Amino acid sequence: MSTAAYSKRFIGAASLLLYGYAAYPIAEPTSTHSLRLAHGLDAHELERKDPFAVNVRRIAARVGVKNPERISIRVGEESTGASMGTNLTVGRRGACIVLPMELYDAFYAPSHVQDKYDLPKRDEIDFVLAHESAHIAKNHSVYTGAFLPASVVGSCFAIHKIPNKLVAAGVGVLGVVGGNLYLSWTLEHEADQVAARSGFARGGIHCFQRKLS
């Protein structure tokens, strides 16, 4: 078998492994691997009747998530917010939203405590919940899972076609890193737009003002 054939097989196998790694959280959104990716290994699952969890599922339904009752709501100290799962699979495989403990504490804090410690207000909290729910509603995990191996294959093809290997290596790195960064920005932007269109724009404005202050 020629070197080119071996290379194609290797690239194909590597792409499948990358896809499996990236897409696994869709199939098993509450697995240890999925929670590790979300920095949520320390997160604990909230009881179904917890008012915060009820609010998350209410917002998820408003944003467009099917079967919001199938979402596992978790809070932890390490996570800054992440969601696993898609609308395509939530009915059978479930989904998971991991949120920072700060939001959970702020949700229950009286207004005077929120003011004293500059905690997020209710509209900001709801915007974050809508943003994370939008990732599920818009099946963003499918795009991220498919794009990584696709970008690797594309970069390998470019490297093979470009005679100057230094230039080819630069193109390959830019293709993988730059492409994934652009995709991430695009999906985050879409999640913000979905949250805003669902009636949470005011909270989004306050969130961005907080980040800039």
Side-chain angles (χ1 to χ4, degrees), residues 31-135:
S31 68
T32 300
H33 170 67
S34 301
L35 293 174
R36 183 180 293 110
L37 291 177
H39 302 289
L41 287 177
D42 71 320
H44 66 275
E45 186 172 16
L46 300 180
E47 294 183 1
R48 183 162 294 277
K49 293 183 179 180
D50 187 300
F52 183 80
V54 171
N55 188 51
V56 174
R57 294 188 177 95
R58 178 186 63 81
I59 290 175
R62 183 170 167 179
V63 168
V65 176
K66 301 174 183 177
N67 306 110
E69 71 281 356
R70 296 276 291 149
I71 301 176
S72 171
I73 314 298
R74 299 172 183 244
V75 294
E77 297 287 351
E78 296 180 4
S79 178
T80 57
S83 54
M84 286 80 71
T86 70
N87 245 0
L88 297 172
T89 58
V90 65
R92 292 183 294 107
R93 310 302 302 183
C96 180
I97 296 179
V98 183
L99 297 159
M101 185 64 73
E102 178 191 18
L103 286 185
Y104 186 76
D105 292 338
F107 180 83
Y108 287 103
S111 58
H112 69 277
V113 174
Q114 290 178 334
D115 293 335
K116 181 178 180 179
Y117 295 102
D118 193 28
L119 298 176
K121 303 297 191 297
R122 180 62 181 268
D123 60 346
E124 297 176 69
I125 296 171
D126 287 351
F127 175 80
V128 174
L129 303 183
H131 173 96
E132 295 301 335
S133 298
H135 284 305

